[in-house]
Amino acid sequence: MTMIQCISPIDGSVYAERPAMSLEAATEAVARVRKAQKAWARRPLEERVQLVLKGVARINEMSDEVVPELAHMMGRPVRYGGEYKGFNERSNYVAAIAADALAPLVVEASNNFERRIEREPHGVVFVIAPWNYPYMTAINTIAPALMAGNTVVIKHATQTLLVGERMVRAFVEAGVPDDVFINLFLDHQTTSALIAAGNFNFINFTGSVEGGRSIERAAAGTFAGLGLELGGKDPGYVMEDADLDAAVDTLMDGATYNSGQCCCGIERIYVHESLYDAFVEKSVAWVSNYKLGNPLDPETTLGPMANKRFAKVVREQIADAVSKGAKALVDPKLFPADDGGAYIMPQVLVNVDHSMAFMKDETFGPAVGIMKVKGDEEALGLMNDSPYGLTASLWTQDPERAARIGREIETGTVFMNRADYLDPALCWTGVKETGKGGSLSVLGFQNLTRPKSYHLKKVTK
């Protein structure tokens, strides 16, 4: 029997393990979920919405278990209290708009005809969730999918092995019927086989580009809908009229919070030459204030990366950049806890350029490169010089300028004077190798349902 193990970044020990399901057992489980879907969809929308919100509330009641579990599994310090703010905000917002988002589009309601388009659930939705924000990323799809009348199967990342199990337990305890929402422990081969066999009507995957490609290959010919959020290399651009202190505070937080393991984390920054020196100086000071250590210690502000192999990638990118002329500015003496393994100090690099992997490839760690630019045209060219496109952060006092530049950036979201935030009222989406589809907002409900047209001719006397 194959065991799936979560190795804790705290000390390299096995924190949790579960047996991987066989293909036969997983297929039978998904069949039960499909059988339960029709009855779930027939329930009134408001009833489904309230049951989902009760599930969310039940998870909130588990914070004493959830928060230390996250520290053990993926290294986030307990002082930050889990992911409840975003988790609740997203759940509450989609609940508030569900009725309008799923309302029929009435074309005609006359004595002669009823013509309308209704939104119908796809059926069984498969959520393959990532480890970096294991609750927030999962709820983006789970909440609206269930509200819309789909049933849901979740397979969580090995690094956060217990999250799917805990979410399902909470929802069932809150009253969601058995087999409407289930968790499966699967290896990659069984996951691909389930998809290829056409077991799912919609698949949402958040993870690596290569992972997304493997999902697409497995789903080929099944005609299942796909939502893919993959890699990122999100830029920030600080213009000459920016609020310098606000830009430093937000961009450095966006680059290093959660040990830089954020889908929309800031990985490269372009600063107008007039502010460059001050921005760099303030950024190095900001980052140097972190306390790297055991995430179970309430004094720790920066925990280990989720796995030592992730930290290895960051170190290799930094070393490669330095060998090509980059300069690392944060003093290693400030971070004695950096052990060469999962515990890695934050870093700010200058003298970087786009010949370096550090400025082109996804880093996904607590390190950021800063480049000097002369103006908008140069910054725009550099921001678009990437295979990815999730968000871009613009810093200026001029909204019209930000909008004008934003229209030229190849990205899914344009921020002005903020970064690293997911607004549930807006569609969360990406371009290029960041993926396709979109979650949350009204469009998220549309992606999790299909249109069904009614053309009803009335008999007239």
Side-chain angles (χ1 to χ4, degrees), residues 165-311:
E165 184 177 75
R166 184 168 293 285
M167 291 184 79
V168 168
R169 189 189 106 194
F171 275 57
V172 171
E173 288 177 357
V176 173
D178 291 338
D179 297 328
V180 166
F181 179 29
I182 70 165
N183 173 71
L184 300 181
F185 296 107
L186 304 171
D187 59 26
H188 293 315
Q189 183 176 354
T190 303
T191 300
S192 294
L194 282 173
I195 293 171
N199 283 286
F200 308 108
N201 303 101
F202 188 90
I203 302 159
N204 180 268
F205 171 77
T206 304
S208 69
V209 175
E210 284 309 309
R213 289 190 175 114
S214 70
I215 298 295
E216 280 200 319
R217 285 192 294 268
T222 67
F223 307 117
L226 294 178
L228 304 173
E229 185 193 326
L230 311 175
K233 193 72 180 175
D234 288 8
Y237 172 33
V238 181
M239 303 174 212
E240 70 280 0
D241 65 338
D243 181 327
L244 181 61
D245 289 335
V248 169
D249 186 61
T250 300
L251 291 174
M252 287 303 106
D253 181 71
T256 55
Y257 181 76
N258 203 40
S259 296
Q261 299 166 133
C262 302
C263 299
C264 56
I266 296 296
E267 296 209 358
R268 51 199 176 105
I269 302 173
Y270 309 102
V271 182
H272 189 270
E273 57 188 3
S274 64
L275 294 182
Y276 177 81
D277 290 340
F279 183 89
V280 169
E281 181 181 359
K282 288 174 177 287
S283 294
V284 172
W286 196 101
V287 168
S288 296
N289 283 324
Y290 270 118
K291 180 182 178 182
L292 176 66
N294 190 317
L296 296 172
D297 181 349
E299 297 300 314
T300 293
T301 55
L302 192 72
M305 293 191 68
N307 192 292
K308 62 183 180 182
R309 73 177 187 274
F310 304 151

Side-chain angles (χ1 to χ4, degrees), residues 160 268 444 459:
T160 41
R268 51 199 176 105
V459 175

Side-chain angles (χ1 to χ4, degrees), residues 106-143:
V106 178
V107 177
E108 181 180 358
S110 68
N111 292 332
N112 297 319
F113 287 99
E114 288 184 24
R115 295 184 293 144
R116 62 182 180 271
I117 302 169
E118 296 188 359
R119 305 301 308 185
E120 188 159 292
H122 287 304
V124 179
V125 172
F126 188 27
V127 176
I128 307 174
W131 51 264
N132 62 322
Y133 283 92
Y135 284 93
M136 285 200 295
T137 52
I139 205 66
N140 291 351
T141 302
I142 291 168

